[in-house]
Amino acid sequence: MNFPDLVLDIEQLIGMELKSIRPGVEIEVVAIDSTKGRIELKNKKGVIRSRPLSELERIWAELANLKPVHVEQILSGSGSSRNQPETILANLPYIEWLNIGGKKHIVYVEHISHPVGTLKQVDAIQAIEFEKHLHESTDIYTATTIVTITDQLAFDSEIISTVLSSRAEPIAQGVYRFSSRNGTVILAASRLLDPPIPLGTYGVLTLNTIPNGATPLKFDGDRYYYFSDGQFSVFLTKSPSLV
């Protein structure tokens, strides 16, 4: 199954109230715009917001490897309500959920095991096998994130898109995300940042505590902090469990 086929299956969820693995945060798929690469969702309060389809594409790239996926870890630094993509996928009839190490995971089981628009937990025996497969894998969650501050937005965007074979996803004015299985690049136009950040490419570290003096920057729900002591410069994000 490829990603466009998955999107067609997600269209079957439009108008349904989708239960989440963590009760109390049900959502409804309102519409899908494949041209713009967005999906519109309505929460329990009736608020409608859109999310990029690229999030689901990143998760599906991992699910297709037939191993359990911890969605929050894949989407770390990708805004709030990270349970929403998890909820959408878990309500497809060939995706089930399980707990590994106290964390929710979803897994592609390759066959229809429950009705569309419902959830199913992996049975105990299968869960043991999936957990074993997860721990035996040598390439789990090696994806990295970097931030590039540029004054040549169009030029650098074309190069990154070619290298990663990934389309640019606008996440704020003058800020784009490029996603691949192995990592994410955030590309930002220097002239639009306030406060200004020096040109360059920076690694991203996830910390429990952000040090004093770090400069906060918000990219469409993604909170990053720029930190420099004059010799060492880096972008920081908070641990997903703390945001």
Side-chain angles (χ1 to χ4, degrees):
M1 177 185 293
N2 57 32
F3 183 66
D5 291 334
L6 185 82
V7 173
L8 289 176
D9 286 344
I10 292 173
E11 288 180 351
Q12 298 179 47
L13 301 175
I14 292 176
M16 294 183 178
E17 181 183 73
L18 305 180
K19 295 186 181 301
S20 60
I21 299 171
R22 176 171 65 87
V25 283
E26 291 76 18
I27 58 171
E28 177 186 328
V29 178
V30 176
I32 299 174
D33 190 333
S34 296
T35 303
K36 294 183 179 179
R38 308 290 295 185
I39 181 169
E40 289 188 354
L41 305 172
K42 181 167 66 175
N43 65 18
K44 288 187 68 174
K45 297 180 179 179
V47 178
I48 297 177
R49 291 191 177 140
S50 70
R51 298 186 73 99
L53 284 174
S54 60
E55 288 182 334
L56 293 168
E57 190 170 12
R58 287 159 63 189
I59 300 166
W60 175 247
E62 296 295 335
L63 285 171
N65 291 320
L66 306 181
K67 59 192 179 187
V69 168
H70 180 44
V71 171
E72 290 190 6
Q73 193 158 5
I74 291 179
L75 298 185
S76 177
S78 294
S80 59
S81 302
R82 286 185 287 269
N83 64 293
Q84 292 181 345
E86 174 187 83
T87 298
I88 294 167
L89 293 170
N91 275 271
L92 293 176
Y94 40 76
I95 294 177
E96 301 180 11
W97 71 274
L98 69 162
N99 271 309
I100 298 178
K103 295 181 179 179
K104 299 173 296 176
H105 288 66
I106 56 176
V107 64
Y108 173 45
V109 296
E110 294 189 282
H111 64 276
I112 293 176
S113 66
H114 58 105
V116 64
T118 67
L119 301 175
K120 182 180 179 183
Q121 187 171 2
V122 175
D123 68 55
I125 295 176
Q126 274 192 309
I128 293 172
E129 291 299 316
F130 279 128
E131 185 170 1
K132 179 180 177 183
H133 180 45
L134 181 67
H135 291 316
E136 287 176 349
S137 178
T138 58
D139 63 348
I140 299 296
Y141 306 134
T142 57
T144 58
T145 299
I146 63 172
V147 175
T148 296
I149 309 300
T150 181
D151 58 2
Q152 304 178 91
L153 187 64
F155 179 77
D156 288 342
S157 178
E158 184 175 348
I159 290 177
I160 294 171
S161 182
T162 299
V163 170
L164 295 183
S165 298
S166 172
R167 60 189 176 193
E169 173 198 341
I171 58 175
Q173 184 179 10
V175 184
Y176 295 86
R177 179 189 290 116
F178 300 82
S179 302
S180 73
R181 181 182 173 191
N182 295 319
T184 300
V185 176
I186 304 295
L187 183 67
S190 58
R191 62 185 177 81
L192 297 176
L193 295 180
D194 183 23
I197 304 296
L199 300 178
T201 296
Y202 304 89
V204 177
L205 299 178
T206 301
L207 302 178
N208 290 334
T209 303
I210 302 299
N212 293 332
T215 301
L217 293 162
K218 192 170 185 180
F219 297 153
D220 192 32
D222 294 358
R223 177 57 65 90
Y224 291 91
Y225 299 80
Y226 172 73
F227 177 79
S228 178
D229 65 0
Q231 295 183 342
F232 173 72
S233 300
V234 69
F235 271 75
L236 308 171
T237 62
K238 284 188 177 181
S239 171
S241 62
L242 300 176
V243 296

